[in-house]
Every structure is written in structure tokens, then in C-alpha cells.
Amino acid sequence: MNKLELSPRLAAIAALVPEGARLADVGTDHAYLPVRLLLDGGIASAVATDVNEGPLQRGRETAERYGVRTILFRRCDGLADVRADEVDTVAIAGMGGDLIARILAAAPWTKQAHLILQPMTAQEDLRRWLLENGYRIAKETLAQEGKKLYVILSATGGSSTPYTPGELWAGRQTQGEDSPHRLAYLTDLIRRRRRALEGMERGSAPDPAALAAERALIDELEATKETWKTWQR
């Protein structure tokens, strides 16, 4: 039997799962993440959930193919049918940031869990929601598949110093952290914010305050990029 190989995105998520974790994989789809972690002996148990039956069936087929019989598959919305005493680590990947926030809001016990979150969109909205609702972002990492970069957040309950607008958009990293994709991420983010600014300026009645805020955001992101380049020399 061939070894189950994870995509770079899922491999980066797997690397953040603590040894011996009791994992909930929300929106599991093919269940590649829990199956691989159980095969490696990296986690103690796994619950895989999805709101639709199709992905759960694909997950069961993956587990059967690799001889993994200990995953609990549950059809539910987010964490609705997962108990706080069953898991200590929650992975939510491949969804929009707003949906991830909604799932967490419906399960406040996740403040006592280790969270690994991979939003496909609205990363800045998810960061803001976490910080405003009693969570602390402990670490961020980036994974690349093809030309696309994926943001992965590691979070838990707690508080942190307020984020600047640029940190809400680009995340917070410090000197010495290894992130080979950080410069490309910042460059792309600046490009997209400049495009947004141009669209605002071409509007029929541009809001001066909104324009000023967008320009200030771009300036901060540019400064962050230059600082990161200096750190990497």
C-alpha cells in the first residue's frame, strides 16, 4: 500500500498538530489529515465532521483504504456534535474566514482547545474576530501549493496586544521566525490593496476617510515588507 502523502497545505497543518492530540477535523472531506496523523502515530484519536454526507463517505473510504478504523465520522454543522471533553485540538481548513468564525462562535469551549485554522478568504476578518472574542493568535505560517499561498493560524484562548491595521491584514511575525514565503505574501497583499485603492479612487463619490485609511494601510504593509527584507539579509 502506498503511503498517504499530504499536499503542502495539509502537511503544514499537520505539522502544527501537537503530539498525542485528540483531534477534531472540521470539514474533513477525504479525511486525509486525520488518517495520515493516525498512521504516523502522531495523535491519540480523531473525530471527523462535515455538514454533508458526501465528504464523510469519501473520508470513510480513505480510512478503509489505509486500514484506519478509529476515526469517528459525524455529519454535523461545524462542531455541533463534538463534545469539549472529546478533543483538545481543532483543525478547520479550506473554508472562508467568516465561516470559521461562525463555527467557533457556536462552540465557545474552543477557547480551551488548540486551534489550527486555514482560512481561504477573509483572513483579516478572522484575525479581528479571534482577537475581539477571547482568542490569542500564537503563531502563523504560510504554505505554498503551485502559485497560491495559504495562511495557517495557530490560536488558543487568551489575549494579546492590539493589532495594527497592517497586522490584521498580514499577520504578526517577529525577527528570527522562519517563513520562506513571507516576502511573496506581503508583495501580493500590497498589490491587491493597491488595486483596491485604485478602484476606490475611480468611484463616483470616493470617501476621503476610507481613501486615507487604505493609503495608510498600504504604507504600513510596505514598511513591514522592508523590515522583513532587512531581517532576512
Side-chain angles (χ1 to χ4, degrees), residues 103-122:
I103 290 171
L104 295 176
W109 57 264
T110 53
K111 290 187 179 69
Q112 280 69 57
H114 178 83
L115 306 179
I116 303 165
L117 313 173
Q118 187 269 298
M120 301 295 283
T121 59

Side-chain angles (χ1 to χ4, degrees), residues 124-143:
E124 69 284 359
D125 292 332
L126 179 59
R127 290 188 187 99
R128 182 181 294 107
W129 186 90
L130 290 168
L131 298 171
E132 292 177 352
N133 287 274
Y135 296 86
R136 179 179 66 87
I137 300 171
K139 181 178 181 179
E140 293 203 23
T141 189
L142 294 161

Side-chain angles (χ1 to χ4, degrees), residues 20-88:
R22 295 176 294 134
L23 175 70
D25 183 32
V26 179
T28 191
D29 199 6
H30 289 79
Y32 292 144
L33 179 66
V35 167
R36 174 58 187 270
L37 289 169
L38 285 165
L39 286 172
D40 291 346
I43 59 175
S45 62
V47 178
T49 80
D50 204 283
V51 72
N52 296 309
E53 181 59 32
L56 289 176
Q57 183 57 35
R58 290 193 291 271
R60 294 187 190 98
E61 291 168 358
T62 300
E64 182 178 357
R65 185 180 313 126
Y66 290 93
V68 174
R69 298 179 175 84
T70 54
I71 299 176
L72 300 176
F73 289 94
R74 293 181 188 159
R75 183 177 180 181
C76 65
D77 186 0
L79 291 159
D81 289 344
V82 179
R83 301 192 314 273
D85 61 357
E86 288 184 291
V87 302
D88 54 32

Side-chain angles (χ1 to χ4, degrees), residues 216-228:
L217 170 62
I218 292 170
D219 288 344
E220 183 185 347
L221 293 173
E222 290 277 15
T224 299
K225 178 180 174 180
E226 290 306 310
T227 299
W228 188 255

